[in-house]
Amino acid sequence: MYYKLKYIILLFALGTFGIFNASLLKLNGNPNYHYALSTALILYWLSIIIFIIQNRKKIFDLFRK
Amino acid sequence: MRILKFVYVLFFAILLVSCEKESTELIENDDQVFEATTRENTELENYLGYNVKNFENGNFTFYINDKDVITGTKTGENHYLLSNPNGELLEMKADMRVEGGLNEQISARKVGDPQYSEIFNFSYFFAAAPNATAQAANPCNQHPAGESFDNCFKREWSDFCEDFISCIAQITNPIPVAVAVGIHCASC
């Protein structure tokens, strides 16, 4: 399964924006902010993990040089 | 498939650690309620509306009914000098018991009066202004009156990391969190 870069970037942006929104929820005293923050963090890290896995060869080569 | 498994494990791990803390946990190991409030980022701080930083310097701000502000200074062990909204100076003492929950009796007297009289029961205050409801109604009520943006930002930033999931978010994504804190402080 290969994901295009634009979808990974979209996932990353969604995660980052989600973290921002969840932070606002927390600051405004919403007791259920955990769910929003957890989901946003999962999206954020998922995008990074997928990117690393798909480009692992390039990343390894980068360190090898 | 391995990635999918990893994502599932990560998801459940985050769900497990992001459970809400019981407010009583925060005070079980403390003999005094005011010692508990000196710890940053506690639920108790939210219940009482203390400004922790001010409290650490011996002063604190106390919100009652989300609007009346009482400022005070710690003068001794469990003894405090308060100034109520009418400008009267009060001496206050706090007796706390943890017996299946928080039971706090706060008594006060005017400066110079010989006897203390009970002004409110802490457990009643707990029930009357639960954390979530009070905060959700108006989150700005927790802010000390006349607090500058700079102080607000520093306070909210240091208070943000109060559980695992918040700390991870703050460490890995400081910019979105900082923007949210900035907007929050600017709007109060």
Side-chain angles (χ1 to χ4, degrees), chain A residues 13-60:
Chain A
L14 207 64
T16 309
F17 186 67
I19 289 166
F20 163 72
N21 266 309
S23 303
L24 274 180
L25 280 183
K26 176 181 163 65
L27 292 164
N28 287 336
N30 191 316
N32 298 319
Y33 73 90
H34 299 98
Y35 304 115
L37 206 51
S38 311
T39 311
L41 274 173
I42 287 169
L43 295 182
Y44 177 83
W45 282 109
L46 193 62
S47 69
I48 292 173
I49 289 165
I50 291 172
F51 179 81
I52 290 171
I53 289 171
Q54 285 189 173
N55 296 284
R56 60 186 181 280
K57 283 179 185 170
K58 284 179 192 171
I59 294 167
F60 289 148

Side-chain angles (χ1 to χ4, degrees), chain B:
Chain B
M1 195 63 189
R2 267 160 50 186
I3 297 170
L4 208 60
K5 277 183 186 172
F6 175 75
V7 170
Y8 279 137
V9 170
L10 188 71
F11 180 73
F12 283 111
I14 289 173
L15 277 185
L16 279 175
V17 296
S18 63
C19 293
E20 235 178 319
K21 286 183 284 185
E22 290 288 329
S23 57
T24 47
E25 277 179 26
L26 301 161
I27 53 167
E28 277 174 356
N29 298 326
D30 295 281
D31 292 332
Q32 302 298 331
V33 64
F34 294 105
E35 286 176 11
T37 58
T38 58
R39 289 189 302 166
E40 283 195 351
N41 310 321
T42 62
E43 294 277 333
L44 196 61
E45 175 202 345
N46 293 332
Y47 272 104
L48 293 175
Y50 283 116
N51 182 319
V52 172
K53 284 200 174 63
N54 280 345
F55 187 79
E56 283 174 349
N57 294 331
N59 302 310
F60 58 92
T61 309
F62 194 8
Y63 293 85
I64 296 176
N65 301 328
D66 291 335
K67 54 184 178 181
D68 296 329
V69 179
I70 288 179
T71 54
T73 309
K74 188 173 183 177
T75 51
E77 190 65 29
N78 297 331
H79 283 76
Y80 305 86
L81 189 64
L82 303 178
S83 171
N84 72 8
N86 301 326
E88 289 175 329
L89 276 178
L90 298 171
E91 286 179 75
M92 187 186 88
K93 67 174 182 178
D95 300 306
M96 187 202 163
R97 302 276 183 276
V98 182
E99 293 163 356
L102 185 66
N103 182 16
E104 168 86 35
Q105 283 192 333
I106 295 181
S107 310
R109 66 180 178 186
K110 282 183 186 176
V111 174
D113 280 3
Q115 282 193 330
Y116 282 94
S117 58
E118 188 179 319
I119 51 172
F120 58 83
N121 186 308
F122 188 76
S123 55
Y124 169 76
F125 186 74
F126 238 106
N131 181 21
T133 315
Q135 274 189 281
N138 187 357
C140 300
N141 283 339
Q142 274 202 31
H143 295 215
E147 188 183 34
S148 67
F149 179 85
D150 186 41
N151 285 341
C152 173
F153 190 92
K154 285 176 184 167
R155 185 173 53 77
E156 293 287 7
W157 179 261
S158 59
D159 289 357
F160 193 88
C161 178
E162 65 179 5
D163 53 18
F164 176 77
I165 202 78
S166 305
C167 291
I168 292 290
Q170 193 177 23
I171 292 164
T172 58
N173 291 271
I175 293 171
V177 174
V179 171
V181 171
I183 289 173
H184 173 72
C185 286
S187 63
C188 282

Side-chain angles (χ1 to χ4, degrees), chain A residues 1-21:
Chain A
M1 194 69 152
Y2 182 83
Y3 297 98
K4 286 182 180 175
L5 186 63
K6 65 178 178 183
Y7 294 123
I8 296 174
I9 291 171
L10 192 70
L11 199 64
F12 182 85
L14 207 64
T16 309
F17 186 67
I19 289 166
F20 163 72
N21 266 309

